[in-house]
Amino acid sequence: MAEWLNAAVLKTVRPARVSWVRILLPPPFPPYPFMENLHEHFMREAIKEAIKAFDKGEVPVGAVIVHDKKIIARAHNQTELLKDPTAHAEMLAITQATSVLENARLEKTTMYVTMEPCAMCAGALVLARCPELYFGAWDPKAGACGTLFNIVHDDRLNHRIKTHGGLMERDSKTLLQEFFKNLRKEKR
């Protein structure tokens, strides 16, 4: 495996005019057969979505939904842009994924989101029957996957979600902290 990776890197740097970005980024083809952690790969994709939200002045939360090791939906927060309090990354990704699957149930899917879902998003994931959830940063003010509430594991509901919190937490948390730090500077 290491020989293959070295050969792939050499192929990308041999041309005379190569940008540093191309050298630093992974190859353009799906790298997961050779990746140590598939979950980190998909969380990086969610972080890319969060960066889009950050650049648009939205709270930087991004989400992707994966089915059969392929991303079928990706979204970022758009509450300010759409003037819609329900336009969270998770809600938009759920809508995209159900459209792609042509089914209201997200069976055999996994959601990756950069911040612990709120009560609305956790409830939507339960209703959509999403079996697995990975999230980055914990949300002490509105988290509904174990922090403030635990909707995804509530025995009174008809579905529970296998949940993994703290995946690439530092990356997600840093993005959120930077956003709110900038927001506080602007309000001064």
Side-chain angles (χ1 to χ4, degrees), residues 65-78:
I65 297 179
V66 176
H67 182 263
D68 291 333
K69 297 184 180 178
K70 293 181 188 133
I71 295 174
I72 60 168
R74 56 175 68 235
H76 55 275
N77 275 5
Q78 296 184 45

Side-chain angles (χ1 to χ4, degrees), residues 61 77 85-86 88-91 94 111 113 115-128 133 135 138-154 156-157 159 161:
V61 177
N77 275 5
T86 67
H88 290 195
E90 301 95 323
M91 300 296 283
I94 289 168
M111 175 177 273
V113 62
M115 188 168 76
E116 180 182 10
C118 68
M120 173 183 68
C121 297
L125 285 166
V126 169
L127 292 173
L133 166 69
F135 64 86
W138 296 87
D139 184 359
K141 293 187 178 184
C145 297
T147 301
L148 191 59
F149 305 108
N150 203 352
I151 292 172
V152 296
H153 295 123
D154 194 321
R156 296 169 294 180
L157 300 175
H159 179 72
I161 299 172

